[in-house]
Amino acid sequence: MIDRDLTNREKLIMKCVWAENQEISIQDLQDKLKEMFDWDAKRSTVRTFLTSIEGKGFVKIERRGRFSYLKPLVDEKKYKREQVQKMIDFWYGGSKVALIKTLNGGKLPKEKEEYLRKVFNEPEE
C-alpha cells in the first residue's frame, strides 16, 4: 500500500506521466500539463513538485545530458484502486454497497442491495 498521498497538483503531474506510458522529459511534461489541465507551470515549479513526488516514491528522475526524464514507479491502476479503497473506508466504513447506494441517489431496491452484498461479501446492516 502507498503510504504517502499526493497533493492535488502532484496528482495532475502524475496523470500526465501515466498518460505517456513511457518515460517523459520535464519539457514534455510541462507541455502535457498545459494541454491536459491548462496549467502553464514554470520549470522551477514543476521541478519542486517532482522532487516531492520522487521523495514519495512515485517517480524516478534521471538526468541525461542537458535533459531530465521521469519514469513512473507506481502503477496508475494500483494507485487508483488504493485511493478508491481509502475513500470507501473513510466515508463508507468500508462498505462498497453504501458507496453504490450514494451513487444511486441514496436508494437501492432491497433485492439489488442483497445481491450486491453477496457479490462484495458484505454482511447486512
Side-chain angles (χ1 to χ4, degrees), residues 92-110:
Y92 301 100
S95 172
K96 294 175 182 92
V97 174
L99 168 65
I100 292 171
K101 283 174 74 172
T102 298
L103 294 173
N104 199 47
K107 299 174 185 167
L108 204 57
K110 187 167 178 64

Side-chain angles (χ1 to χ4, degrees), residues 1-80:
M1 188 133 175
I2 300 164
D3 292 335
R4 302 190 69 188
D5 285 332
L6 296 171
T7 66
N8 288 335
R9 290 289 181 164
E10 291 170 346
K11 288 175 187 175
L12 298 181
I13 290 171
M14 285 307 300
K15 285 285 285 181
C16 293
V17 171
W18 284 320
E20 279 301 297
N21 273 336
Q22 61 187 8
E23 64 182 21
I24 181 173
S25 71
I26 291 179
Q27 178 61 50
D28 289 341
L29 174 62
Q30 285 178 270
D31 295 343
K32 198 100 174 147
L33 286 166
K34 178 72 173 157
E35 174 190 323
M36 289 177 68
F37 303 109
D38 199 31
W39 180 20
D40 195 13
K42 292 182 171 37
R43 182 176 175 78
S44 59
T45 302
V46 172
R47 279 299 269 171
T48 300
F49 281 110
L50 287 174
T51 300
S52 174
I53 294 169
E54 184 179 38
K56 293 176 182 181
F58 282 84
V59 296
K60 175 75 176 149
I61 303 171
E62 293 180 4
R63 183 119 176 126
R64 286 188 231 132
R66 294 181 30 202
F67 300 100
S68 294
Y69 295 88
L70 309 167
K71 181 179 181 183
L73 299 177
V74 174
D75 180 68
E76 181 182 18
K77 288 179 184 176
K78 178 182 178 192
Y79 179 75
K80 287 192 290 190

